[in-house]
Coordinates of all heavy atoms in Angstrom, one line a residue:
N1 N -17.8 -4.1 -24.8 CA -18.0 -3.7 -26.2 C -19.5 -4.1 -26.5 O -19.7 -5.1 -27.2 CB -17.1 -4.3 -27.1 CG -17.2 -3.8 -28.5 OD1 -18.0 -2.8 -28.8 ND2 -16.5 -4.4 -29.4
P2 N -20.5 -3.3 -26.0 CA -21.9 -3.8 -26.2 C -22.3 -3.7 -27.7 O -23.2 -4.5 -28.1 CB -22.7 -2.7 -25.4 CG -21.8 -1.5 -25.3 CD -20.4 -2.1 -25.3
F3 N -21.7 -2.9 -28.5 CA -22.1 -2.8 -29.9 C -21.6 -4.0 -30.7 O -22.1 -4.2 -31.9 CB -21.4 -1.5 -30.5 CG -21.9 -0.2 -29.9 CD1 -21.2 0.3 -28.9 CD2 -23.1 0.3 -30.3 CE1 -21.6 1.5 -28.3 CE2 -23.5 1.5 -29.8 CZ -22.8 2.2 -28.7
K4 N -20.8 -4.9 -30.1 CA -20.5 -6.1 -30.8 C -21.6 -7.1 -30.7 O -21.7 -8.0 -31.5 CB -19.2 -6.6 -30.2 CG -18.6 -7.8 -30.9 CD -17.2 -8.2 -30.3 CE -16.6 -9.4 -31.0 NZ -15.3 -9.8 -30.4
Y5 N -22.5 -6.9 -29.7 CA -23.6 -7.8 -29.5 C -24.9 -7.0 -29.4 O -25.6 -7.0 -28.3 CB -23.4 -8.7 -28.2 CG -22.0 -9.2 -28.1 CD1 -21.0 -8.6 -27.3 CD2 -21.6 -10.4 -28.8 CE1 -19.8 -9.0 -27.2 CE2 -20.3 -10.8 -28.7 CZ -19.4 -10.2 -27.9 OH -18.1 -10.7 -27.8
P6 N -25.3 -6.3 -30.4 CA -26.4 -5.3 -30.3 C -27.7 -5.9 -30.1 O -28.7 -5.3 -29.5 CB -26.3 -4.5 -31.6 CG -25.7 -5.5 -32.5 CD -24.7 -6.2 -31.7
Q7 N -27.9 -7.2 -30.5 CA -29.2 -7.9 -30.4 C -29.3 -8.8 -29.2 O -30.3 -9.4 -29.1 CB -29.5 -8.6 -31.7 CG -29.6 -7.7 -33.0 CD -30.6 -6.6 -32.8 OE1 -31.7 -6.8 -32.3 NE2 -30.3 -5.4 -33.4
H8 N -28.2 -8.9 -28.5 CA -28.2 -9.9 -27.4 C -27.9 -9.1 -26.1 O -28.7 -8.3 -25.6 CB -27.2 -11.0 -27.7 CG -27.6 -11.7 -28.9 ND1 -28.6 -12.7 -29.0 CD2 -27.1 -11.7 -30.2 CE1 -28.7 -13.2 -30.2 NE2 -27.7 -12.6 -31.0
D9 N -26.7 -9.5 -25.5 CA -26.4 -8.9 -24.1 C -26.0 -7.4 -24.1 O -25.9 -6.8 -23.1 CB -25.3 -9.7 -23.5 CG -25.8 -11.2 -23.2 OD1 -26.4 -11.4 -22.2 OD2 -25.5 -12.0 -24.1
G10 N -25.7 -6.9 -25.3 CA -25.4 -5.5 -25.4 C -26.6 -4.6 -25.7 O -26.5 -3.4 -25.6
Y11 N -27.7 -5.2 -25.8 CA -29.0 -4.5 -26.2 C -29.4 -3.4 -25.1 O -29.7 -2.3 -25.4 CB -30.1 -5.4 -26.4 CG -31.4 -4.8 -26.8 CD1 -31.7 -4.3 -28.1 CD2 -32.4 -4.7 -25.9 CE1 -32.9 -3.8 -28.5 CE2 -33.6 -4.1 -26.2 CZ -33.9 -3.6 -27.4 OH -35.0 -3.0 -27.8
Q12 N -29.4 -3.8 -23.9 CA -29.8 -3.0 -22.8 C -28.8 -1.7 -22.6 O -29.3 -0.6 -22.5 CB -29.8 -3.7 -21.5 CG -30.4 -2.9 -20.3 CD -30.5 -3.8 -19.0 OE1 -29.9 -4.8 -18.9 NE2 -31.4 -3.3 -18.1
L13 N -27.6 -2.0 -22.7 CA -26.6 -0.9 -22.5 C -26.7 0.1 -23.7 O -26.6 1.3 -23.5 CB -25.2 -1.5 -22.4 CG -24.1 -0.5 -22.0 CD1 -24.5 0.2 -20.7 CD2 -22.8 -1.2 -21.8
I14 N -26.9 -0.4 -24.9 CA -27.0 0.4 -26.1 C -28.3 1.3 -26.0 O -28.3 2.5 -26.4 CB -27.0 -0.4 -27.4 CG1 -25.7 -1.1 -27.6 CG2 -27.4 0.4 -28.6 CD1 -25.6 -2.0 -28.8
S15 N -29.4 0.7 -25.5 CA -30.6 1.4 -25.3 C -30.4 2.5 -24.3 O -31.0 3.6 -24.5 CB -31.7 0.5 -24.9 OG -32.0 -0.5 -25.8
G16 N -29.6 2.3 -23.3 CA -29.4 3.3 -22.3 C -28.6 4.5 -22.9 O -28.9 5.7 -22.7
Y17 N -27.6 4.2 -23.8 CA -26.8 5.2 -24.5 C -27.8 6.0 -25.4 O -27.7 7.3 -25.4 CB -25.8 4.6 -25.4 CG -24.6 3.9 -24.6 CD1 -23.8 3.0 -25.2 CD2 -24.3 4.3 -23.3 CE1 -22.7 2.4 -24.5 CE2 -23.3 3.8 -22.6 CZ -22.5 2.8 -23.2 OH -21.4 2.3 -22.5
L18 N -28.7 5.4 -26.0 CA -29.7 6.0 -26.9 C -30.5 7.0 -26.1 O -30.8 8.2 -26.5 CB -30.6 5.0 -27.6 CG -31.6 5.6 -28.6 CD1 -30.9 6.3 -29.7 CD2 -32.5 4.4 -29.1
A19 N -31.0 6.6 -24.9 CA -31.8 7.4 -24.1 C -31.0 8.7 -23.6 O -31.5 9.8 -23.7 CB -32.3 6.6 -22.9
F20 N -29.8 8.5 -23.2 CA -28.9 9.6 -22.8 C -28.7 10.6 -24.0 O -28.8 11.8 -23.8 CB -27.6 9.1 -22.3 CG -27.6 8.6 -20.9 CD1 -27.2 7.3 -20.7 CD2 -28.0 9.3 -19.9 CE1 -27.2 6.7 -19.4 CE2 -28.0 8.8 -18.5 CZ -27.6 7.5 -18.3
S21 N -28.5 10.0 -25.2 CA -28.2 10.9 -26.3 C -29.5 11.8 -26.7 O -29.3 12.9 -27.1 CB -27.8 10.1 -27.5 OG -28.8 9.3 -27.9
R22 N -30.7 11.2 -26.5 CA -31.9 11.9 -26.8 C -32.2 13.1 -25.8 O -32.8 14.0 -26.1 CB -33.0 11.0 -26.8 CG -33.1 10.1 -28.0 CD -34.2 9.1 -28.0 NE -34.4 8.3 -29.2 CZ -35.2 7.3 -29.3 NH1 -35.8 6.8 -28.3 NH2 -35.2 6.6 -30.5
G23 N -31.7 12.8 -24.6 CA -32.0 13.8 -23.5 C -31.3 15.2 -23.7 O -31.8 16.2 -23.4
G24 N -30.0 15.1 -24.1 CA -29.2 16.3 -24.2 C -29.0 17.0 -22.9 O -28.9 16.4 -21.8
W25 N -29.1 18.3 -22.9 CA -28.8 19.1 -21.7 C -30.1 19.3 -20.8 O -30.0 19.1 -19.6 CB -28.4 20.5 -22.1 CG -26.9 20.6 -22.5 CD1 -26.5 20.5 -23.8 CD2 -25.8 20.7 -21.7 NE1 -25.1 20.6 -23.8 CE2 -24.7 20.7 -22.5 CE3 -25.6 20.8 -20.3 CZ2 -23.3 20.8 -22.0 CZ3 -24.3 20.9 -19.8 CH2 -23.2 20.9 -20.6
L26 N -31.2 19.5 -21.4 CA -32.4 19.8 -20.7 C -33.5 18.7 -20.7 O -34.4 18.7 -20.0 CB -33.1 21.1 -21.1 CG -32.2 22.3 -21.0 CD1 -32.9 23.5 -21.6 CD2 -31.8 22.6 -19.6
G27 N -33.3 17.7 -21.6 CA -34.3 16.6 -21.7 C -35.5 16.9 -22.5 O -35.7 18.0 -22.9
L28 N -36.3 15.9 -22.7 CA -37.5 16.0 -23.5 C -38.7 16.4 -22.7 O -39.8 16.6 -23.2 CB -37.7 14.6 -24.2 CG -36.6 14.1 -25.1 CD1 -37.1 12.7 -25.7 CD2 -36.3 15.0 -26.2
G29 N -38.6 16.3 -21.4 CA -39.7 16.6 -20.5 C -40.2 15.4 -19.8 O -40.2 14.2 -20.3
I30 N -40.6 15.5 -18.5 CA -41.0 14.3 -17.7 C -42.2 13.7 -18.4 O -43.2 14.3 -18.7 CB -41.3 14.8 -16.3 CG1 -40.1 15.3 -15.6 CG2 -41.9 13.6 -15.5 CD1 -40.3 15.8 -14.2
G31 N -42.1 12.4 -18.6 CA -43.2 11.6 -19.3 C -43.1 11.6 -20.7 O -43.9 10.9 -21.4
Q32 N -42.2 12.3 -21.3 CA -42.1 12.4 -22.8 C -41.0 11.5 -23.4 O -40.9 11.5 -24.7 CB -41.8 13.9 -23.2 CG -42.8 14.9 -22.7 CD -44.2 14.6 -23.2 OE1 -44.4 14.4 -24.4 NE2 -45.1 14.7 -22.3
G33 N -40.3 10.8 -22.6 CA -39.3 9.9 -23.1 C -39.9 8.8 -24.0 O -41.0 8.3 -23.7
E34 N -39.2 8.4 -25.0 CA -39.7 7.3 -26.0 C -39.0 6.0 -25.8 O -39.6 5.0 -26.1 CB -39.6 7.8 -27.4 CG -40.4 9.1 -27.7 CD -40.2 9.5 -29.2 OE1 -39.4 8.8 -29.9 OE2 -40.8 10.6 -29.5
T35 N -37.7 6.0 -25.4 CA -36.9 4.8 -25.3 C -37.5 3.9 -24.3 O -37.5 2.7 -24.5 CB -35.5 5.2 -24.8 OG1 -35.0 6.2 -25.6 CG2 -34.6 4.0 -25.0
K36 N -38.1 4.3 -23.2 CA -38.7 3.5 -22.2 C -39.9 2.6 -22.8 O -40.2 1.6 -22.4 CB -39.3 4.3 -21.1 CG -40.4 5.2 -21.4 CD -40.7 6.2 -20.3 CE -41.8 7.1 -20.8 NZ -42.1 8.2 -19.7
R37 N -40.6 3.2 -23.8 CA -41.7 2.5 -24.4 C -41.4 1.4 -25.4 O -42.1 0.4 -25.5 CB -42.6 3.5 -25.2 CG -43.1 4.6 -24.3 CD -44.0 5.6 -25.1 NE -45.2 4.9 -25.7 CZ -46.1 5.5 -26.4 NH1 -46.0 6.8 -26.7 NH2 -47.1 4.8 -26.9
Y38 N -40.1 1.5 -26.0 CA -39.8 0.5 -27.1 C -38.6 -0.3 -26.8 O -38.6 -1.5 -27.2 CB -39.7 1.3 -28.4 CG -40.9 2.2 -28.7 CD1 -40.8 3.6 -28.7 CD2 -42.1 1.6 -29.1 CE1 -41.9 4.4 -29.0 CE2 -43.2 2.4 -29.4 CZ -43.0 3.7 -29.3 OH -44.1 4.6 -29.7

């Protein structure tokens, strides 16, 4: 349950979910991802 600890040990897994959700079917384009920057 990473959302129970969003600022601690669940932070990395939630960030991964966020990246997947932004990509959708075709993605944003190579080099255009934002989650990796922040």
Side-chain angles (χ1 to χ4, degrees):
N1 189 5
F3 296 97
K4 191 176 180 179
Y5 317 99
Q7 300 301 323
H8 299 284
D9 294 278
Y11 179 79
Q12 186 176 20
L13 192 55
I14 293 174
S15 299
Y17 290 158
L18 179 61
F20 282 122
S21 66
R22 287 174 172 171
W25 284 94
L26 300 177
L28 303 177
I30 295 177
Q32 303 302 314
E34 297 180 1
T35 311
K36 64 188 179 186
R37 299 182 62 180
Y38 305 111

